[in-house]
Amino acid sequence: MSVLDDLVTDLSRVPGLGRKSALRMAFYFLKADPVFLQRLGEGIAHLRERLKRCPRCGNYTERDLCEICTDASRDRRTLCVVEQVQDLLNLQRTGEYRGLYHVLHGVLAPLDGVGPTELGLEALVKRIPAEGIEEVILATNPTLEGDTTALYIRRLLGPQVKVTRLASGLPVGGDLEYADRLTIARSLQGRLAMES
Amino acid sequence: MSVLDDLVTDLSRVPGLGRKSALRMAFYFLKADPVFLQRLGEGIAHLRERLKRCPRCGNYTERDLCEICTDASRDRRTLCVVEQVQDLLNLQRTGEYRGLYHVLHGVLAPLDGVGPTELGLEALVKRIPAEGIEEVILATNPTLEGDTTALYIRRLLGPQVKVTRLASGLPVGGDLEYADRLTIARSLQGRLAMES
């Protein structure tokens, strides 16, 4: 049954899906509603035509500019730099942030050929004066690559703008006993005064 | 981004995929090769048109009859009855079985409205004399529903043909310590003589 084999092989290419899960999924499709299958299939086939990157911030959008860049109610003086669109969605979910975003779609990785040009850092730098940004929040991950990228961008932006970095420390609900050494060190470095 | 939301909602409907896995998958698709996406999407959308049930045995096929029913090298006197096509594939993988199959696409479940008619048991009964079948192996699962279905089919077939049931017992590599009571009981009932 080459139609089935081909589908299972393609599904197995999706990260997180092994051959067994792919097979189980294909057999589910074989009994699923044809209208549902048609819609799902077209959703996958045409996803990349229908969703483009916002030319201003890199977020995904179906229009010319994304819904965050065109939202007049947002604070246009603050810009949050993230590695990927998933991070933007997670920040949005907190409801804590009301400013704009800039999605890098990656981190600096010289060994993989990803330098400042590949990340489009020039466009990021230009946004600051062009849009009158007053604070840039660097929200790359607290990993070696994320920290390196944040440091590089910090230097690139120079003194023209206030630059901050997301706090690193113990996760809420976390436990000192199980936290790793680096996280505890960061939480000490970033300790906050408690009002009496 | 309703295109993305719609896709994630549809993917979440697939058993085994939660909303988080669906989101991760959608973001993978957003960076995947468009040719791959086109092929995968069409594979899903057209799966049910391209794969039909074999009118003789119920296996999936792209042709009029499935590749097992048309395979002249198979033993045409033995018929193995399974609940679903996945079971057929698993039996095929063992390389132990060279006969024909009959796929029920379910088990008897009167409470869910699945009776002998819904399972097409009449067609199964007719196959025995029509094809000169000499042995029917009942390979439904060793579950309450599978056992009930096997018992029902056994009575339906009557004395016209030899009927056998897959052996039930300890899994190979399994451990008596961790086996459940029913499995141990079955392995006792089905114990085999050892040659001296």
Side-chain angles (χ1 to χ4, degrees), chain A residues 83-127:
Chain A
E83 291 182 17
Q84 46 181 6
V85 177
Q86 290 97 308
D87 303 331
L88 179 158
L89 294 180
N90 272 342
L91 280 160
Q92 279 299 95
R93 259 209 319 232
T94 66
E96 276 289 315
Y97 182 68
R98 297 286 313 155
L100 303 177
Y101 288 95
H102 194 90
V103 185
L104 298 174
H105 289 281
V107 278
L108 289 177
L111 293 179
D112 298 332
V114 183
T117 316
E118 285 71 25
L119 284 190
L121 294 188
E122 206 179 329
L124 166 60
V125 173
K126 278 184 186 156
R127 283 188 74 178

Side-chain angles (χ1 to χ4, degrees), chain A residues 1-4 7 9-11 13-15 17 20 23-34 36-51 53 59-62 67 83-86 89 93 105-106, chain B residues 1-4 7 9-11 13-15 17 20 23-34 36-51 53 59-62 67 83-86 89 93 105-106:
Chain A
M1 294 178 286
S2 69
V3 165
L4 192 66
L7 178 61
T9 303
D10 278 343
L11 284 171
R13 279 180 57 182
V14 178
L17 282 188
K20 274 205 164 176
L23 196 64
R24 205 175 311 125
M25 199 180 279
F27 274 109
Y28 165 76
F29 290 149
L30 272 164
K31 305 210 167 181
D33 171 25
F36 163 72
L37 292 180
Q38 185 71 32
R39 194 179 59 217
L40 174 60
E42 284 187 359
I44 292 172
H46 302 299
L47 183 65
R48 292 201 57 172
E49 300 148 34
R50 291 175 184 166
L51 270 194
R53 289 187 188 175
N59 185 15
Y60 290 119
T61 179
E62 295 162 56
E67 52 194 9
E83 291 182 17
Q84 46 181 6
V85 177
Q86 290 97 308
L89 294 180
R93 259 209 319 232
H105 289 281
Chain B
M1 296 179 286
S2 68
V3 165
L4 192 67
L7 178 61
T9 304
D10 278 342
L11 284 171
R13 279 180 56 181
V14 179
L17 281 188
K20 273 205 166 177
L23 195 65
R24 205 176 309 125
M25 199 180 281
F27 274 110
Y28 166 76
F29 289 149
L30 273 164
K31 305 210 168 182
D33 171 25
F36 164 72
L37 291 180
Q38 185 71 31
R39 195 178 59 218
L40 174 61
E42 285 187 358
I44 292 172
H46 303 299
L47 183 65
R48 293 202 56 171
E49 300 149 34
R50 290 174 184 166
L51 270 195
R53 290 188 187 174
N59 185 14
Y60 290 119
T61 179
E62 295 161 55
E67 51 194 10
E83 292 182 15
Q84 46 181 6
V85 177
Q86 291 96 308
L89 294 180
R93 260 209 319 232
H105 289 282

Side-chain angles (χ1 to χ4, degrees), chain B residues 8-185:
Chain B
V8 170
T9 304
D10 278 342
L11 284 171
S12 312
R13 279 180 56 181
V14 179
L17 281 188
R19 198 160 177 92
K20 273 205 166 177
S21 328
L23 195 65
R24 205 176 309 125
M25 199 180 281
F27 274 110
Y28 166 76
F29 289 149
L30 273 164
K31 305 210 168 182
D33 171 25
V35 176
F36 164 72
L37 291 180
Q38 185 71 31
R39 195 178 59 218
L40 174 61
E42 285 187 358
I44 292 172
H46 303 299
L47 183 65
R48 293 202 56 171
E49 300 149 34
R50 290 174 184 166
L51 270 195
K52 298 283 178 199
R53 290 188 187 174
C54 172
R56 189 174 295 168
C57 79
N59 185 14
Y60 290 119
T61 179
E62 295 161 55
R63 311 220 186 84
D64 288 339
L65 283 177
C66 81
E67 51 194 10
I68 289 179
C69 285
T70 51
D71 182 348
S73 77
R74 296 190 75 96
D75 166 17
R76 321 207 130 254
R77 292 159 305 171
T78 318
L79 186 71
C80 183
V81 179
V82 292
E83 292 182 15
Q84 46 181 6
V85 177
Q86 291 96 308
D87 303 333
L88 179 158
L89 294 180
N90 273 340
L91 280 161
Q92 279 299 95
R93 260 209 319 232
T94 65
E96 277 289 316
Y97 182 68
R98 297 285 313 154
L100 303 177
Y101 289 95
H102 194 90
V103 185
L104 298 174
H105 289 282
V107 279
L108 288 178
L111 293 179
D112 297 330
V114 184
T117 315
E118 285 70 26
L119 284 189
L121 294 188
E122 206 181 328
L124 167 60
V125 173
K126 279 185 186 156
R127 284 189 73 178
I128 314 305
E131 300 179 29
I133 304 289
E134 295 172 8
E135 178 179 354
V136 175
I137 303 174
L138 297 177
T140 52
N141 289 326
T143 58
L144 184 61
E145 296 81 7
D147 284 340
T148 308
T149 305
L151 210 63
Y152 188 91
I153 295 175
R154 175 69 201 91
R155 290 189 186 149
L156 209 57
L157 293 176
Q160 64 169 333
V161 63
K162 178 181 174 191
V163 181
T164 54
R165 180 105 176 87
L166 284 192
S168 213
L170 299 170
V172 176
D175 206 317
L176 256 177
E177 184 178 350
Y178 301 114
D180 63 290
R181 210 161 43 89
L182 285 172
T183 300
I184 297 178

Side-chain angles (χ1 to χ4, degrees), chain A residues 26-195:
Chain A
F27 274 109
Y28 165 76
F29 290 149
L30 272 164
K31 305 210 167 181
D33 171 25
V35 176
F36 163 72
L37 292 180
Q38 185 71 32
R39 194 179 59 217
L40 174 60
E42 284 187 359
I44 292 172
H46 302 299
L47 183 65
R48 292 201 57 172
E49 300 148 34
R50 291 175 184 166
L51 270 194
K52 297 281 177 199
R53 289 187 188 175
C54 172
R56 190 174 293 167
C57 77
N59 185 15
Y60 290 119
T61 179
E62 295 162 56
R63 312 219 185 85
D64 288 341
L65 284 177
C66 80
E67 52 194 9
I68 289 179
C69 284
T70 52
D71 182 348
S73 77
R74 296 190 75 95
D75 167 17
R76 322 207 129 254
R77 291 158 306 171
T78 318
L79 187 71
C80 182
V81 179
V82 293
E83 291 182 17
Q84 46 181 6
V85 177
Q86 290 97 308
D87 303 331
L88 179 158
L89 294 180
N90 272 342
L91 280 160
Q92 279 299 95
R93 259 209 319 232
T94 66
E96 276 289 315
Y97 182 68
R98 297 286 313 155
L100 303 177
Y101 288 95
H102 194 90
V103 185
L104 298 174
H105 289 281
V107 278
L108 289 177
L111 293 179
D112 298 332
V114 183
T117 316
E118 285 71 25
L119 284 190
L121 294 188
E122 206 179 329
L124 166 60
V125 173
K126 278 184 186 156
R127 283 188 74 178
I128 315 305
E131 301 180 28
I133 305 288
E134 294 173 7
E135 178 178 355
V136 175
I137 303 174
L138 297 177
T140 53
N141 289 326
T143 57
L144 185 60
E145 295 81 8
D147 283 340
T148 308
T149 306
L151 210 63
Y152 188 92
I153 295 176
R154 175 70 203 90
R155 290 188 185 147
L156 208 60
L157 292 176
Q160 64 170 332
V161 63
K162 178 181 174 190
V163 181
T164 55
R165 180 103 175 88
L166 283 192
S168 214
L170 298 171
V172 176
D175 205 318
L176 256 177
E177 183 179 351
Y178 302 113
D180 64 289
R181 208 160 45 89
L182 285 172
T183 300
I184 297 177
R186 289 266 187 121
S187 74
L188 268 172
Q189 288 155 12
R191 67 188 180 278
L192 299 171
M194 291 177 75
E195 309 279 325

